[in-house]
């Protein structure tokens, strides 16, 4: 489960929230000029495993890391 500030203010929101907010604001402002299709992926890298935190198919879709 995700946690964060109880009240969202300009000072308390994180970089993801700010970036997505800007992205959706720009897409709304330009909707008469261009149509956007927006996809979001949130990945976690831990113990040399990459997991998609927003995956709906299974407990967290895992991505193999290529060996160097």
């Amino acid at each position: 489960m995700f946690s964060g500030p109880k009240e969202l203010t300009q000072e308390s929101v994180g970089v993801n929230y700010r970036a997505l907010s800007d992205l959706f604001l720009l897409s709304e402002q330009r909707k008469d000029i261009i149509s956007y299709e927006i996809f979001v992926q949130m990945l976690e890298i831990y113990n040399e495993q990459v997991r998609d935190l927003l995956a709906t198919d299974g407990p967290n879709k895992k991505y193999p890391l290529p060996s160097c």
Side-chain angles (χ1 to χ4, degrees):
M1 179 159 184
F2 295 105
S3 63
K6 294 185 188 326
E7 191 175 318
L8 292 180
T9 65
Q10 276 299 103
E11 294 80 28
S12 69
V13 295
V15 68
N16 286 339
Y17 184 93
R18 291 175 193 215
L20 289 172
S21 181
D22 287 350
L23 178 65
F24 286 113
L25 177 66
L26 285 172
S27 68
E28 180 64 26
Q29 290 173 345
R30 299 175 182 174
K31 69 181 177 185
D32 296 331
I33 301 168
I34 190 167
S35 174
Y36 289 94
E37 222 175 302
I38 299 172
F39 299 89
V40 177
Q41 188 174 35
M42 185 174 284
L43 301 176
E44 170 189 64
I45 302 172
Y46 179 73
N47 267 351
E48 298 182 13
Q49 291 188 358
V50 180
R51 295 178 187 204
D52 185 344
L53 298 178
L54 302 178
T56 57
D57 56 338
N60 282 345
K61 187 174 181 180
K62 294 182 182 179
Y63 295 93
L65 285 177
S67 32
C68 298

Short mmCIF file of all heavy atoms in Angstrom, two decimals:
data_model
loop_
_atom_site.label_atom_id
_atom_site.label_comp_id
_atom_site.label_asym_id
_atom_site.label_seq_id
_atom_site.Cartn_x
_atom_site.Cartn_y
_atom_site.Cartn_z
N MET A 1 0.84 -1.17 0.00
CA MET A 1 0.00 0.00 0.00
C MET A 1 0.89 1.24 0.00
O MET A 1 1.89 1.31 0.68
CB MET A 1 -0.90 -0.03 1.22
CG MET A 1 -1.79 1.13 1.32
SD MET A 1 -3.16 0.68 2.40
CE MET A 1 -4.10 2.12 2.27
N PHE A 2 0.47 2.23 -0.77
CA PHE A 2 1.24 3.47 -0.86
C PHE A 2 0.87 4.40 0.29
O PHE A 2 -0.25 4.40 0.77
CB PHE A 2 0.96 4.17 -2.19
CG PHE A 2 1.43 3.38 -3.37
CD1 PHE A 2 0.52 2.72 -4.17
CD2 PHE A 2 2.77 3.30 -3.68
CE1 PHE A 2 0.94 1.99 -5.27
CE2 PHE A 2 3.20 2.58 -4.76
CZ PHE A 2 2.29 1.92 -5.56
N SER A 3 1.83 5.18 0.70
CA SER A 3 1.55 6.17 1.74
C SER A 3 2.10 7.51 1.28
O SER A 3 2.90 7.59 0.36
CB SER A 3 2.19 5.75 3.06
OG SER A 3 3.60 5.72 2.91
N GLY A 4 1.65 8.54 1.92
CA GLY A 4 2.10 9.87 1.55
C GLY A 4 1.48 10.89 2.46
O GLY A 4 0.83 10.54 3.46
N PRO A 5 1.64 12.15 2.11
CA PRO A 5 1.07 13.19 2.97
C PRO A 5 -0.45 13.12 3.00
O PRO A 5 -1.09 12.78 2.01
CB PRO A 5 1.55 14.49 2.32
CG PRO A 5 1.95 14.14 0.94
CD PRO A 5 2.30 12.68 0.94
N LYS A 6 -1.02 13.46 4.14
CA LYS A 6 -2.47 13.44 4.29
C LYS A 6 -3.12 14.58 3.50
O LYS A 6 -4.21 14.45 2.99
CB LYS A 6 -2.86 13.52 5.76
CG LYS A 6 -2.46 12.31 6.57
CD LYS A 6 -2.99 12.41 7.99
CE LYS A 6 -2.49 11.36 8.93
NZ LYS A 6 -2.23 10.07 8.51
N GLU A 7 -2.43 15.69 3.40
CA GLU A 7 -2.94 16.85 2.68
C GLU A 7 -1.97 17.22 1.56
O GLU A 7 -0.77 17.36 1.80
CB GLU A 7 -3.09 18.02 3.65
CG GLU A 7 -3.86 19.18 3.09
CD GLU A 7 -4.08 20.25 4.14
OE1 GLU A 7 -4.39 19.91 5.29
OE2 GLU A 7 -3.92 21.42 3.78
N LEU A 8 -2.48 17.35 0.34
CA LEU A 8 -1.62 17.68 -0.79
C LEU A 8 -1.49 19.19 -0.93
O LEU A 8 -2.48 19.91 -1.07
CB LEU A 8 -2.19 17.10 -2.08
CG LEU A 8 -2.19 15.59 -2.20
CD1 LEU A 8 -2.77 15.16 -3.54
CD2 LEU A 8 -0.80 15.03 -2.04
N THR A 9 -0.26 19.66 -0.87
CA THR A 9 0.05 21.07 -1.10
C THR A 9 1.20 21.13 -2.11
O THR A 9 1.82 20.10 -2.40
CB THR A 9 0.48 21.77 0.20
OG1 THR A 9 1.72 21.19 0.65
CG2 THR A 9 -0.57 21.66 1.29
N GLN A 10 1.50 22.30 -2.62
CA GLN A 10 2.61 22.45 -3.56
C GLN A 10 3.91 21.96 -2.96
O GLN A 10 4.76 21.42 -3.65
CB GLN A 10 2.76 23.91 -3.98
CG GLN A 10 1.85 24.33 -5.10
CD GLN A 10 2.11 23.54 -6.37
OE1 GLN A 10 1.34 22.64 -6.70
NE2 GLN A 10 3.15 23.86 -7.07
N GLU A 11 4.07 22.10 -1.66
CA GLU A 11 5.31 21.69 -1.00
C GLU A 11 5.35 20.19 -0.70
O GLU A 11 6.42 19.61 -0.58
CB GLU A 11 5.50 22.46 0.32
CG GLU A 11 5.73 23.94 0.15
CD GLU A 11 4.46 24.75 -0.10
OE1 GLU A 11 3.38 24.33 0.37
OE2 GLU A 11 4.55 25.77 -0.79
N SER A 12 4.20 19.54 -0.58
CA SER A 12 4.18 18.15 -0.13
C SER A 12 4.08 17.12 -1.26
O SER A 12 4.38 15.96 -1.03
CB SER A 12 3.03 17.92 0.85
OG SER A 12 1.79 18.01 0.19
N VAL A 13 3.65 17.54 -2.46
CA VAL A 13 3.53 16.56 -3.54
C VAL A 13 4.91 16.21 -4.09
O VAL A 13 5.82 17.03 -4.08
CB VAL A 13 2.60 17.03 -4.67
CG1 VAL A 13 1.19 17.18 -4.18
CG2 VAL A 13 3.08 18.31 -5.30
N GLY A 14 5.04 14.98 -4.56
CA GLY A 14 6.32 14.50 -5.06
C GLY A 14 6.52 14.77 -6.54
O GLY A 14 5.66 15.33 -7.23
N VAL A 15 7.66 14.33 -7.03
CA VAL A 15 8.04 14.59 -8.42
C VAL A 15 7.11 13.87 -9.40
O VAL A 15 6.77 14.43 -10.45
CB VAL A 15 9.53 14.25 -8.66
CG1 VAL A 15 9.77 12.75 -8.56
CG2 VAL A 15 10.00 14.78 -9.99
N ASN A 16 6.68 12.66 -9.09
CA ASN A 16 5.77 11.94 -10.00
C ASN A 16 4.45 12.68 -10.14
O ASN A 16 3.93 12.85 -11.24
CB ASN A 16 5.52 10.51 -9.50
CG ASN A 16 6.69 9.61 -9.71
OD1 ASN A 16 7.55 9.88 -10.53
ND2 ASN A 16 6.74 8.53 -8.97
N TYR A 17 3.90 13.10 -9.02
CA TYR A 17 2.63 13.82 -9.03
C TYR A 17 2.75 15.12 -9.84
O TYR A 17 1.90 15.44 -10.66
CB TYR A 17 2.18 14.13 -7.60
CG TYR A 17 0.83 14.78 -7.51
CD1 TYR A 17 -0.31 14.01 -7.34
CD2 TYR A 17 0.69 16.16 -7.61
CE1 TYR A 17 -1.56 14.60 -7.27
CE2 TYR A 17 -0.55 16.75 -7.54
CZ TYR A 17 -1.68 15.97 -7.37
OH TYR A 17 -2.91 16.56 -7.30
N ARG A 18 3.84 15.85 -9.63
CA ARG A 18 4.04 17.11 -10.35
C ARG A 18 4.22 16.88 -11.85
O ARG A 18 3.66 17.61 -12.67
CB ARG A 18 5.26 17.84 -9.81
CG ARG A 18 5.06 18.36 -8.41
CD ARG A 18 6.34 18.96 -7.87
NE ARG A 18 6.20 19.16 -6.45
CZ ARG A 18 6.73 20.16 -5.79
NH1 ARG A 18 7.45 21.05 -6.42
NH2 ARG A 18 6.56 20.27 -4.49
N ALA A 19 5.01 15.88 -12.21
CA ALA A 19 5.24 15.60 -13.63
C ALA A 19 3.95 15.18 -14.33
O ALA A 19 3.66 15.65 -15.43
CB ALA A 19 6.31 14.51 -13.77
N LEU A 20 3.18 14.31 -13.70
CA LEU A 20 1.92 13.87 -14.31
C LEU A 20 0.92 15.00 -14.38
O LEU A 20 0.18 15.14 -15.36
CB LEU A 20 1.34 12.68 -13.55
CG LEU A 20 2.11 11.38 -13.73
CD1 LEU A 20 1.57 10.31 -12.78
CD2 LEU A 20 2.02 10.89 -15.17
N SER A 21 0.88 15.83 -13.36
CA SER A 21 -0.01 16.98 -13.36
C SER A 21 0.31 17.91 -14.53
O SER A 21 -0.58 18.35 -15.26
CB SER A 21 0.10 17.71 -12.04
OG SER A 21 -0.77 18.81 -12.00
N ASP A 22 1.59 18.19 -14.73
CA ASP A 22 2.02 19.03 -15.86
C ASP A 22 1.68 18.38 -17.19
O ASP A 22 1.23 19.05 -18.13
CB ASP A 22 3.52 19.31 -15.79
CG ASP A 22 3.90 20.29 -14.70
OD1 ASP A 22 2.99 20.91 -14.11
OD2 ASP A 22 5.11 20.43 -14.42
N LEU A 23 1.90 17.08 -17.28
CA LEU A 23 1.63 16.35 -18.52
C LEU A 23 0.14 16.44 -18.89
O LEU A 23 -0.21 16.75 -20.03
CB LEU A 23 2.04 14.89 -18.35
CG LEU A 23 1.79 13.97 -19.53
CD1 LEU A 23 2.64 14.38 -20.72
CD2 LEU A 23 2.09 12.53 -19.14
N PHE A 24 -0.74 16.20 -17.92
CA PHE A 24 -2.16 16.26 -18.20
C PHE A 24 -2.63 17.69 -18.46
O PHE A 24 -3.52 17.91 -19.28
CB PHE A 24 -2.96 15.61 -17.07
CG PHE A 24 -2.87 14.12 -17.08
CD1 PHE A 24 -2.22 13.45 -16.06
CD2 PHE A 24 -3.41 13.37 -18.11
CE1 PHE A 24 -2.12 12.06 -16.07
CE2 PHE A 24 -3.31 12.00 -18.13
CZ PHE A 24 -2.66 11.34 -17.11
N LEU A 25 -2.04 18.66 -17.81
CA LEU A 25 -2.37 20.06 -18.07
C LEU A 25 -2.01 20.44 -19.50
O LEU A 25 -2.81 21.04 -20.22
CB LEU A 25 -1.63 20.97 -17.07
CG LEU A 25 -1.84 22.47 -17.29
CD1 LEU A 25 -3.28 22.87 -17.03
CD2 LEU A 25 -0.91 23.25 -16.38
N LEU A 26 -0.81 20.07 -19.95
CA LEU A 26 -0.39 20.36 -21.32
C LEU A 26 -1.27 19.66 -22.34
O LEU A 26 -1.65 20.24 -23.35
CB LEU A 26 1.07 19.94 -21.53
CG LEU A 26 2.11 20.86 -20.92
CD1 LEU A 26 3.50 20.23 -21.03
CD2 LEU A 26 2.09 22.21 -21.60
N SER A 27 -1.62 18.40 -22.08
CA SER A 27 -2.47 17.68 -23.02
C SER A 27 -3.85 18.31 -23.11
O SER A 27 -4.45 18.37 -24.18
CB SER A 27 -2.56 16.20 -22.67
OG SER A 27 -3.27 16.01 -21.47
N GLU A 28 -4.35 18.83 -22.00
CA GLU A 28 -5.65 19.50 -22.00
C GLU A 28 -5.57 20.83 -22.76
O GLU A 28 -6.45 21.17 -23.54
CB GLU A 28 -6.12 19.74 -20.56
CG GLU A 28 -7.45 20.42 -20.44
CD GLU A 28 -8.61 19.61 -21.00
OE1 GLU A 28 -8.54 18.37 -21.04
OE2 GLU A 28 -9.61 20.24 -21.40
N GLN A 29 -4.49 21.57 -22.55
CA GLN A 29 -4.32 22.86 -23.22
C GLN A 29 -4.18 22.70 -24.74
O GLN A 29 -4.58 23.58 -25.50
CB GLN A 29 -3.09 23.59 -22.68
CG GLN A 29 -3.25 24.09 -21.27
CD GLN A 29 -1.95 24.65 -20.71
OE1 GLN A 29 -0.87 24.42 -21.24
NE2 GLN A 29 -2.07 25.37 -19.60
N ARG A 30 -3.61 21.59 -25.17
CA ARG A 30 -3.34 21.38 -26.60
C ARG A 30 -4.34 20.44 -27.27
O ARG A 30 -4.12 20.01 -28.40
CB ARG A 30 -1.93 20.80 -26.76
CG ARG A 30 -0.86 21.73 -26.25
CD ARG A 30 0.48 21.07 -26.32
NE ARG A 30 1.51 21.94 -25.77
CZ ARG A 30 2.77 21.57 -25.60
NH1 ARG A 30 3.14 20.35 -25.92
NH2 ARG A 30 3.63 22.42 -25.10
N LYS A 31 -5.45 20.12 -26.61
CA LYS A 31 -6.38 19.12 -27.14
C LYS A 31 -6.97 19.50 -28.50
O LYS A 31 -7.35 18.63 -29.26
CB LYS A 31 -7.48 18.82 -26.14
CG LYS A 31 -8.45 19.95 -25.91
CD LYS A 31 -9.48 19.56 -24.88
CE LYS A 31 -10.41 20.73 -24.60
NZ LYS A 31 -11.33 20.42 -23.54
N ASP A 32 -7.03 20.79 -28.84
CA ASP A 32 -7.54 21.21 -30.14
C ASP A 32 -6.49 21.10 -31.24
O ASP A 32 -6.82 21.15 -32.42
CB ASP A 32 -8.06 22.65 -30.07
CG ASP A 32 -9.25 22.78 -29.14
OD1 ASP A 32 -10.01 21.79 -28.98
OD2 ASP A 32 -9.43 23.87 -28.55
N ILE A 33 -5.23 20.94 -30.85
CA ILE A 33 -4.13 20.89 -31.80
C ILE A 33 -3.67 19.46 -32.06
O ILE A 33 -3.41 19.06 -33.19
CB ILE A 33 -2.92 21.72 -31.28
CG1 ILE A 33 -3.35 23.17 -31.06
CG2 ILE A 33 -1.75 21.64 -32.23
CD1 ILE A 33 -2.34 23.98 -30.28
N ILE A 34 -3.58 18.69 -30.98
CA ILE A 34 -3.03 17.33 -31.08
C ILE A 34 -3.72 16.42 -30.07
O ILE A 34 -4.18 16.86 -29.02
CB ILE A 34 -1.50 17.34 -30.83
CG1 ILE A 34 -0.88 16.00 -31.17
CG2 ILE A 34 -1.17 17.76 -29.43
CD1 ILE A 34 0.63 16.03 -31.27
N SER A 35 -3.81 15.15 -30.42
CA SER A 35 -4.41 14.16 -29.53
C SER A 35 -3.30 13.31 -28.92
O SER A 35 -2.44 12.79 -29.63
CB SER A 35 -5.37 13.26 -30.32
OG SER A 35 -5.85 12.24 -29.51
N TYR A 36 -3.31 13.21 -27.60
CA TYR A 36 -2.29 12.44 -26.89
C TYR A 36 -2.87 11.12 -26.41
O TYR A 36 -4.03 11.03 -26.04
CB TYR A 36 -1.80 13.20 -25.65
CG TYR A 36 -0.97 14.41 -25.97
CD1 TYR A 36 -1.55 15.67 -26.05
CD2 TYR A 36 0.40 14.30 -26.15
CE1 TYR A 36 -0.79 16.79 -26.32
CE2 TYR A 36 1.17 15.42 -26.42
CZ TYR A 36 0.56 16.66 -26.51
OH TYR A 36 1.32 17.76 -26.77
N GLU A 37 -2.03 10.11 -26.40
CA GLU A 37 -2.33 8.84 -25.76
C GLU A 37 -1.27 8.67 -24.69
O GLU A 37 -0.09 8.59 -24.99
CB GLU A 37 -2.23 7.70 -26.78
CG GLU A 37 -3.33 6.70 -26.66
CD GLU A 37 -3.25 5.65 -27.74
OE1 GLU A 37 -3.29 6.00 -28.94
OE2 GLU A 37 -3.13 4.46 -27.38
N ILE A 38 -1.69 8.63 -23.43
CA ILE A 38 -0.73 8.62 -22.33
C ILE A 38 -0.77 7.27 -21.63
O ILE A 38 -1.83 6.79 -21.24
CB ILE A 38 -1.05 9.76 -21.33
CG1 ILE A 38 -0.96 11.11 -22.05
CG2 ILE A 38 -0.12 9.71 -20.14
CD1 ILE A 38 -1.44 12.28 -21.24
N PHE A 39 0.41 6.69 -21.46
CA PHE A 39 0.57 5.43 -20.75
C PHE A 39 1.55 5.67 -19.61
O PHE A 39 2.52 6.40 -19.77
CB PHE A 39 1.13 4.33 -21.66
CG PHE A 39 0.24 4.00 -22.82
CD1 PHE A 39 0.36 4.69 -24.01
CD2 PHE A 39 -0.72 3.02 -22.71
CE1 PHE A 39 -0.45 4.40 -25.08
CE2 PHE A 39 -1.53 2.72 -23.78
CZ PHE A 39 -1.40 3.41 -24.97
N VAL A 40 1.31 5.05 -18.47
CA VAL A 40 2.18 5.25 -17.31
C VAL A 40 2.64 3.89 -16.81
O VAL A 40 1.88 2.93 -16.77
CB VAL A 40 1.43 5.98 -16.17
CG1 VAL A 40 2.29 6.12 -14.95
CG2 VAL A 40 0.95 7.34 -16.65
N GLN A 41 3.91 3.83 -16.45
CA GLN A 41 4.47 2.62 -15.87
C GLN A 41 5.32 3.03 -14.67
O GLN A 41 6.09 3.99 -14.75
CB GLN A 41 5.32 1.89 -16.91
CG GLN A 41 5.79 0.54 -16.47
CD GLN A 41 6.51 -0.18 -17.60
OE1 GLN A 41 7.19 0.43 -18.41
NE2 GLN A 41 6.34 -1.48 -17.65
N MET A 42 5.15 2.34 -13.56
CA MET A 42 5.95 2.63 -12.37
C MET A 42 6.74 1.37 -12.04
O MET A 42 6.16 0.32 -11.76
CB MET A 42 5.06 3.04 -11.19
CG MET A 42 5.86 3.45 -9.99
SD MET A 42 4.85 4.08 -8.66
CE MET A 42 4.45 5.69 -9.29
N LEU A 43 8.05 1.50 -12.10
CA LEU A 43 8.92 0.36 -11.87
C LEU A 43 9.66 0.48 -10.56
O LEU A 43 10.01 1.58 -10.12
CB LEU A 43 9.94 0.22 -13.01
CG LEU A 43 9.37 0.04 -14.41
CD1 LEU A 43 10.49 0.02 -15.42
CD2 LEU A 43 8.54 -1.22 -14.50
N GLU A 44 9.92 -0.67 -9.96
CA GLU A 44 10.74 -0.75 -8.75
C GLU A 44 11.93 -1.64 -9.08
O GLU A 44 11.75 -2.71 -9.66
CB GLU A 44 9.93 -1.36 -7.62
CG GLU A 44 10.76 -1.69 -6.40
CD GLU A 44 9.96 -2.48 -5.37
OE1 GLU A 44 9.55 -3.62 -5.69
OE2 GLU A 44 9.75 -1.94 -4.29
N ILE A 45 13.10 -1.21 -8.73
CA ILE A 45 14.30 -2.04 -8.88
C ILE A 45 14.80 -2.35 -7.49
O ILE A 45 15.16 -1.45 -6.72
CB ILE A 45 15.39 -1.32 -9.70
CG1 ILE A 45 14.84 -0.94 -11.07
CG2 ILE A 45 16.62 -2.21 -9.82
CD1 ILE A 45 15.77 -0.07 -11.88
N TYR A 46 14.78 -3.63 -7.14
CA TYR A 46 15.16 -4.06 -5.80
C TYR A 46 15.74 -5.46 -5.90
O TYR A 46 15.18 -6.33 -6.56
CB TYR A 46 13.94 -4.05 -4.88
CG TYR A 46 14.23 -4.50 -3.47
CD1 TYR A 46 14.92 -3.69 -2.59
CD2 TYR A 46 13.81 -5.75 -3.03
CE1 TYR A 46 15.20 -4.09 -1.31
CE2 TYR A 46 14.08 -6.18 -1.74
CZ TYR A 46 14.77 -5.35 -0.88
OH TYR A 46 15.04 -5.76 0.39
N ASN A 47 16.87 -5.69 -5.25
CA ASN A 47 17.53 -7.00 -5.26
C ASN A 47 17.72 -7.54 -6.67
O ASN A 47 17.44 -8.70 -6.96
CB ASN A 47 16.72 -8.02 -4.44
CG ASN A 47 17.20 -8.10 -3.02
OD1 ASN A 47 18.21 -7.53 -2.65
ND2 ASN A 47 16.45 -8.82 -2.20
N GLU A 48 18.16 -6.66 -7.55
CA GLU A 48 18.42 -7.01 -8.95
C GLU A 48 17.20 -7.55 -9.67
O GLU A 48 17.29 -8.30 -10.64
CB GLU A 48 19.58 -8.01 -9.04
CG GLU A 48 20.88 -7.44 -8.50
CD GLU A 48 22.05 -8.39 -8.65
OE1 GLU A 48 21.92 -9.39 -9.37
OE2 GLU A 48 23.08 -8.12 -8.02
N GLN A 49 16.01 -7.18 -9.21
CA GLN A 49 14.77 -7.54 -9.88
C GLN A 49 14.00 -6.27 -10.21
O GLN A 49 13.95 -5.34 -9.40
CB GLN A 49 13.90 -8.44 -9.01
CG GLN A 49 14.47 -9.82 -8.82
CD GLN A 49 13.47 -10.73 -8.11
OE1 GLN A 49 12.39 -10.31 -7.74
NE2 GLN A 49 13.86 -11.97 -7.93
N VAL A 50 13.43 -6.23 -11.40
CA VAL A 50 12.63 -5.08 -11.83
C VAL A 50 11.17 -5.52 -11.81
O VAL A 50 10.82 -6.54 -12.38
CB VAL A 50 13.03 -4.63 -13.25
CG1 VAL A 50 12.19 -3.44 -13.68
CG2 VAL A 50 14.51 -4.30 -13.32
N ARG A 51 10.34 -4.74 -11.12
CA ARG A 51 8.92 -5.07 -11.00
C ARG A 51 8.08 -3.88 -11.42
O ARG A 51 8.38 -2.75 -11.09
CB ARG A 51 8.56 -5.44 -9.57
CG ARG A 51 9.25 -6.68 -9.12
CD ARG A 51 8.91 -6.98 -7.70
NE ARG A 51 9.74 -8.10 -7.27
CZ ARG A 51 9.44 -8.90 -6.30
NH1 ARG A 51 8.35 -8.71 -5.61
NH2 ARG A 51 10.23 -9.89 -5.98
N ASP A 52 7.00 -4.19 -12.13
CA ASP A 52 6.03 -3.18 -12.53
C ASP A 52 5.01 -3.04 -11.41
O ASP A 52 4.22 -3.95 -11.16
CB ASP A 52 5.36 -3.59 -13.84
CG ASP A 52 4.43 -2.53 -14.38
OD1 ASP A 52 4.05 -1.61 -13.62
OD2 ASP A 52 4.07 -2.62 -15.56
N LEU A 53 5.01 -1.92 -10.71
CA LEU A 53 4.14 -1.74 -9.55
C LEU A 53 2.68 -1.50 -9.92
O LEU A 53 1.81 -1.60 -9.08
CB LEU A 53 4.65 -0.58 -8.70
CG LEU A 53 6.06 -0.76 -8.12
CD1 LEU A 53 6.46 0.48 -7.34
CD2 LEU A 53 6.14 -2.00 -7.26
N LEU A 54 2.42 -1.19 -11.19
CA LEU A 54 1.04 -0.97 -11.62
C LEU A 54 0.47 -2.14 -12.41
O LEU A 54 -0.65 -2.06 -12.90
CB LEU A 54 0.96 0.32 -12.47
CG LEU A 54 1.44 1.59 -11.78
CD1 LEU A 54 1.36 2.77 -12.75
CD2 LEU A 54 0.62 1.88 -10.54
N ALA A 55 1.22 -3.22 -12.54
CA ALA A 55 0.75 -4.38 -13.31
C ALA A 55 -0.47 -4.99 -12.66
O ALA A 55 -0.57 -5.11 -11.45
CB ALA A 55 1.87 -5.42 -13.40
N THR A 56 -1.42 -5.36 -13.51
CA THR A 56 -2.64 -5.98 -13.01
C THR A 56 -2.65 -7.49 -13.22
O THR A 56 -3.52 -8.17 -12.72
CB THR A 56 -3.87 -5.37 -13.70
OG1 THR A 56 -3.74 -5.52 -15.11
CG2 THR A 56 -4.01 -3.90 -13.35
N ASP A 57 -1.69 -7.99 -13.97
CA ASP A 57 -1.63 -9.44 -14.24
C ASP A 57 -0.62 -10.11 -13.32
O ASP A 57 0.54 -10.20 -13.60
CB ASP A 57 -1.29 -9.71 -15.71
CG ASP A 57 0.01 -9.04 -16.15
OD1 ASP A 57 0.42 -8.07 -15.49
OD2 ASP A 57 0.59 -9.50 -17.12
N GLY A 58 -1.10 -10.53 -12.18
CA GLY A 58 -0.23 -11.22 -11.23
C GLY A 58 0.27 -10.30 -10.15
O GLY A 58 -0.03 -9.12 -10.11
N PRO A 59 1.06 -10.84 -9.24
CA PRO A 59 1.48 -10.07 -8.07
C PRO A 59 2.43 -8.93 -8.39
O PRO A 59 2.77 -8.22 -7.61
CB PRO A 59 2.15 -11.09 -7.18
CG PRO A 59 2.36 -12.29 -7.97
CD PRO A 59 1.44 -12.22 -9.16
N ASN A 60 3.01 -8.73 -9.36
CA ASN A 60 3.85 -7.61 -9.86
C ASN A 60 4.65 -8.21 -10.99
O ASN A 60 5.50 -9.07 -10.76
CB ASN A 60 4.82 -7.03 -8.82
CG ASN A 60 4.18 -6.12 -7.82
OD1 ASN A 60 3.05 -5.68 -8.02
ND2 ASN A 60 4.85 -5.83 -6.74
N LYS A 61 4.36 -7.78 -12.17
CA LYS A 61 5.05 -8.32 -13.33
C LYS A 61 6.54 -8.09 -13.19
O LYS A 61 6.98 -6.98 -12.89
CB LYS A 61 4.52 -7.65 -14.60
CG LYS A 61 5.04 -8.25 -15.85
CD LYS A 61 4.37 -7.63 -17.05
CE LYS A 61 4.89 -8.27 -18.31
NZ LYS A 61 4.27 -7.70 -19.50
N LYS A 62 7.32 -9.14 -13.37
CA LYS A 62 8.76 -9.04 -13.23
C LYS A 62 9.41 -8.97 -14.61
O LYS A 62 8.97 -9.60 -15.56
CB LYS A 62 9.31 -10.26 -12.49
CG LYS A 62 8.86 -10.33 -11.06
CD LYS A 62 9.46 -11.52 -10.37
CE LYS A 62 8.95 -11.61 -8.93
NZ LYS A 62 9.49 -12.76 -8.24
N TYR A 63 10.45 -8.18 -14.70
CA TYR A 63 11.21 -8.05 -15.93
C TYR A 63 12.61 -8.56 -15.69
O TYR A 63 13.26 -8.18 -14.71
CB TYR A 63 11.30 -6.58 -16.36
CG TYR A 63 9.96 -5.99 -16.72
CD1 TYR A 63 9.20 -5.31 -15.78
CD2 TYR A 63 9.47 -6.11 -18.01
CE1 TYR A 63 7.97 -4.78 -16.11
CE2 TYR A 63 8.24 -5.58 -18.34
CZ TYR A 63 7.50 -4.90 -17.40
OH TYR A 63 6.29 -4.38 -17.73
N PRO A 64 13.11 -9.45 -16.55
CA PRO A 64 14.48 -9.96 -16.34
C PRO A 64 15.51 -8.88 -16.69
O PRO A 64 15.33 -8.11 -17.61
CB PRO A 64 14.56 -11.12 -17.33
CG PRO A 64 13.54 -10.81 -18.38
CD PRO A 64 12.47 -10.01 -17.71
N LEU A 65 16.56 -8.81 -15.90
CA LEU A 65 17.66 -7.90 -16.18
C LEU A 65 18.69 -8.64 -17.02
O LEU A 65 19.07 -9.76 -16.70
CB LEU A 65 18.34 -7.43 -14.89
CG LEU A 65 17.60 -6.42 -14.06
CD1 LEU A 65 18.35 -6.11 -12.77
CD2 LEU A 65 17.39 -5.14 -14.84
N PRO A 66 19.15 -8.03 -18.11
CA PRO A 66 20.17 -8.70 -18.92
C PRO A 66 21.49 -8.74 -18.15
O PRO A 66 21.83 -7.82 -17.42
CB PRO A 66 20.28 -7.81 -20.16
CG PRO A 66 19.74 -6.49 -19.74
CD PRO A 66 18.77 -6.75 -18.64
N SER A 67 22.24 -9.81 -18.32
CA SER A 67 23.55 -9.89 -17.65
C SER A 67 24.58 -9.16 -18.49
O SER A 67 24.55 -9.15 -19.70
CB SER A 67 23.95 -11.34 -17.42
OG SER A 67 23.48 -12.17 -18.42
N CYS A 68 25.51 -8.55 -17.80
CA CYS A 68 26.55 -7.76 -18.49
C CYS A 68 27.72 -8.61 -18.89
O CYS A 68 28.09 -9.55 -18.36
CB CYS A 68 27.03 -6.65 -17.57
SG CYS A 68 25.72 -5.51 -17.15
#
